[in-house]
Amino acid sequence: MPTARNHPATTRTEAGPAAVRRRALDGLPEVDRPTEVSTGDAQALSTALFARLETLEEGTPEHAYVRNTLVELNVSLVKFAARRFRNRVEPTEDIIQVGTIGLIKAIDRFETGRDVEFSAFALPTIVGEMKRFFRDTSWAVQVPRRLQELRIELAKAVDTLEQRLGRRPTRAELAAHLHLDEESVAEGEQASNGYVARSLDTPAGDDETAETAGARRLGAEERAFELIEALESLKPLIAGLDARDRRILELRFGEELTQAQIGERLGLSQMHISRLLTRVLDELRTGLLEDASNR
C-alpha cells in the first residue's frame, strides 16, 4: 500500500493547502505520489475517493483536490490506451494529453452505484476521445509546432470551461483561462482549420507499403485491444481458459512481448504462438458476443 497519512477531522475555519487536503479526504489516506501507486492499490483508493467525491460540493477546493487525485491515480489507463495507437505519427505526449481529457470526462460521469469497475467504464471514453482527435485532426498544411500545441491547449480549455460554465466559453474567457490575449486564441482557432482528414489514397513513401502507410495514418490497432474495453465481461471468460492460454495473454498484453519472444519463453514457434493467440482471442470475442445476446 502506498505511503499514506491519516488526518483527524478539522474545522471549516482552517485555511491553506494542508487544511483543504484534510477536509477533502475526511480521514481517508493521503497519497504522496499517486502516479506511482500499484494498479491494485489505485483501484482500492479510487473506490474510496469516488465515494468521497459524491459528498463534496462541485467547485469547492475540496472537490477539486479529490478529483485531481483521481486523475493522477488513473492516468495509467490513459497510457495503456495510448499503446494501441503507437504507430501514429502524432507525438505520444499529445495522444496522452487528449486521452486525459477523456479520463476527466469519465471521472465526472462515473457513478459509484453502478455495478462496474471504473477502469472498465473509463477506457471507452478515453479511447473515444483519442479516436475523435485522430478523426478530426490530420494536418493537411504545414502548421508551426507552437500552434499545434496551442490547439490542444484550446481543446482542453474549452472542455474544462464548458463543464464549469454549462455553455461554450467565449474567446475572452478562453484567453483569460490560458493567460493569453484574444489575438493568440484567435490564431490558435484559425490554425485548427489546417486540420482535415488526410486521404487514404495519398501515395506512400519509398520506405513503406501502401498498407503500412494507411495503418500508420489511421493508428493501426491490434484486434485484441477492443476486448480490453470489456474488462468486466472478460474476467470470467479468461478464468475459464487453461493455464497456457492465460500465460500467453499475460505475456502478450501484460509484458507486451512479441509473438517471437513469447515463443522463446514457452519453447514454441512464432507461428504456433500466432495460431494459439488467434484462437484465444476469437474465443474471448465469441464469449463476449454470446454474453451480450443473453442480456
Side-chain angles (χ1 to χ4, degrees):
M1 193 73 179
T3 303
R5 298 189 292 274
N6 288 299
H7 302 290
T10 58
T11 65
R12 294 292 298 181
T13 57
E14 286 187 279
V20 168
R21 290 196 297 272
R22 285 194 291 270
R23 290 196 299 270
L25 295 171
D26 191 33
L28 293 175
E30 179 181 337
V31 186
D32 290 327
R33 292 178 292 275
T35 57
E36 298 177 15
V37 173
S38 69
T39 301
D41 287 341
Q43 290 176 342
L45 287 166
S46 293
T47 299
L49 287 172
F50 271 117
R52 178 59 180 153
L53 190 67
E54 291 185 346
T55 69
L56 297 170
E57 182 181 351
E58 192 171 348
T60 62
E62 292 80 9
H63 185 279
Y65 175 80
V66 174
R67 184 174 181 253
N68 290 339
T69 302
L70 281 166
V71 172
E72 291 184 81
L73 277 173
N74 292 282
V75 74
S76 59
L77 290 173
V78 178
K79 295 177 180 178
F80 174 80
R83 294 176 193 168
R84 66 189 293 177
F85 301 112
R86 67 187 71 192
N87 293 324
R88 289 292 309 193
V89 295
E90 288 82 357
T92 301
E93 294 79 8
D94 290 358
I95 299 173
I96 290 175
Q97 282 188 25
V98 170
T100 302
I101 295 175
L103 173 62
I104 293 171
K105 287 181 178 180
I107 289 172
D108 290 340
R109 297 169 183 169
F110 186 65
E111 298 175 4
T112 55
R114 303 175 69 167
D115 188 22
V116 62
E117 287 187 5
F118 175 68
S119 57
F121 175 84
L123 273 171
T125 304
I126 293 169
V127 172
E129 200 70 25
M130 292 175 177
K131 286 183 175 180
R132 186 175 69 174
F133 171 66
F134 296 135
R135 183 174 62 247
D136 297 342
T137 58
S138 285
W139 290 106
V141 297
Q142 186 61 39
V143 176
R145 177 68 181 173
R146 173 182 63 84
L147 294 181
Q148 295 182 32
E149 294 174 348
L150 177 57
R151 181 199 177 278
I152 294 173
E153 291 303 313
L154 277 173
K156 292 168 63 178
V158 167
D159 181 72
T160 298
L161 291 176
E162 276 185 345
Q163 294 184 41
R164 183 184 304 169
L165 302 172
R167 57 173 172 78
R168 186 171 181 82
T170 64
R171 183 175 293 171
E173 289 168 337
L174 285 170
H177 181 78
L178 294 171
H179 305 292
L180 298 172
D181 53 49
E182 291 188 42
E183 184 178 347
S184 296
V185 173
E187 187 180 17
E189 291 173 339
Q190 184 176 9
S192 297
N193 295 330
Y195 261 62
V196 297
R198 186 179 290 143
S199 171
L200 298 182
D201 296 326
T202 303
D206 293 337
D207 58 343
E208 60 182 352
T209 65
E211 181 179 0
T212 58
R216 176 179 57 79
R217 295 187 190 104
L218 289 175
E221 305 173 27
E222 290 218 44
R223 294 172 61 226
F225 276 108
E226 68 195 54
L227 295 172
I228 301 302
E229 297 171 17
L231 291 176
E232 289 299 302
S233 299
L234 274 176
K235 286 181 179 179
L237 297 175
I238 292 176
L241 297 174
D242 63 37
R244 185 180 66 175
D245 288 348
R246 289 197 303 272
R247 179 59 175 160
I248 290 174
L249 288 178
E250 177 187 354
L251 293 173
R252 182 66 191 92
F253 301 106
E255 299 185 26
E256 297 189 60
L257 300 185
T258 65
Q259 293 178 4
Q261 290 170 330
I262 296 171
E264 290 177 4
R265 287 275 190 98
L266 302 183
L268 301 171
S269 69
Q270 182 273 331
M271 185 63 70
H272 193 179
I273 293 297
S274 177
R275 287 196 296 267
L276 290 173
L277 191 56
T278 298
R279 175 183 57 76
V280 171
L281 296 178
D282 284 343
E283 287 179 6
L284 292 177
R285 187 173 291 103
T286 299
L288 284 177
L289 293 173
E290 291 177 349
D291 179 64
S293 64
N294 291 329
R295 290 176 185 173

